[in-house]
Amino acid sequence: MKYLLFVLSVFLITACTHQPDLTGFDAEAFKQDHGGCNGQRAKQIAWIKAHKMELRGTTSNNMEDILGKPDIQQLADRNQEYYIYFLEPGPHCNQKASQAKSIAFRFSAMGIATEITFQDGIPL
């Protein structure tokens, strides 16, 4: 009985995660363009901006499945974290600090995307 209750609980938790509609987004090209150094991510900025509300509510694990490992991962207060993906080539492609356009996903302590911002470089 305990086993059945555990399996049911896991099923309910995973069934309720938000899966965004990625129609028109080339996730594989985004993942392969680490740091935005090959210019493939820059081609998808308009799509991301148009669908950023669709990406809110996505878990950090699902975001990593969609976009790949973040270029930079920062911890924030109260167990929140940022996933930062550079969207265009910049000095970071040569292992230097960069002010290239980037997108930052802020995740709550529960691992849910709560904020999506666009900026130059890394958010403070």
Side-chain angles (χ1 to χ4, degrees), residues 42-72:
K43 296 175 183 176
Q44 300 188 71
I45 293 173
W47 188 96
I48 295 171
K49 284 185 175 182
H51 295 86
K52 93 177 198 178
M53 294 307 289
E54 176 71 22
L55 294 170
R56 283 191 64 176
T58 304
T59 66
S60 56
N61 288 338
N62 286 347
M63 194 67 72
E64 205 166 316
D65 289 343
I66 295 166
L67 302 178
K69 185 174 167 51
D71 299 322
I72 298 172

Side-chain angles (χ1 to χ4, degrees), residues 42-121:
K43 296 175 183 176
Q44 300 188 71
I45 293 173
W47 188 96
I48 295 171
K49 284 185 175 182
H51 295 86
K52 93 177 198 178
M53 294 307 289
E54 176 71 22
L55 294 170
R56 283 191 64 176
T58 304
T59 66
S60 56
N61 288 338
N62 286 347
M63 194 67 72
E64 205 166 316
D65 289 343
I66 295 166
L67 302 178
K69 185 174 167 51
D71 299 322
I72 298 172
Q73 187 173 353
Q74 289 181 335
L75 294 177
D77 58 336
R78 296 191 218 157
N79 293 328
Q80 297 182 51
E81 61 184 347
Y82 283 98
Y83 280 12
I84 301 162
Y85 297 88
F86 285 106
L87 300 174
E88 66 181 9
H92 61 276
C93 294
N94 297 321
Q95 305 298 322
K96 298 178 183 174
S98 179
Q99 290 300 310
K101 288 189 186 331
S102 63
I103 185 171
F105 296 90
R106 184 179 183 134
F107 295 95
S108 69
M110 298 296 292
I112 306 295
T114 57
E115 181 182 3
I116 301 168
T117 58
F118 293 86
Q119 65 277 321
D120 294 331

Side-chain angles (χ1 to χ4, degrees), residues 8-19 57-59 62 112:
L8 182 61
S9 297
V10 170
F11 175 75
L12 288 175
I13 290 170
T14 58
C16 296
T17 59
H18 174 68
Q19 295 291 330
T58 304
T59 66
N62 286 347
I112 306 295

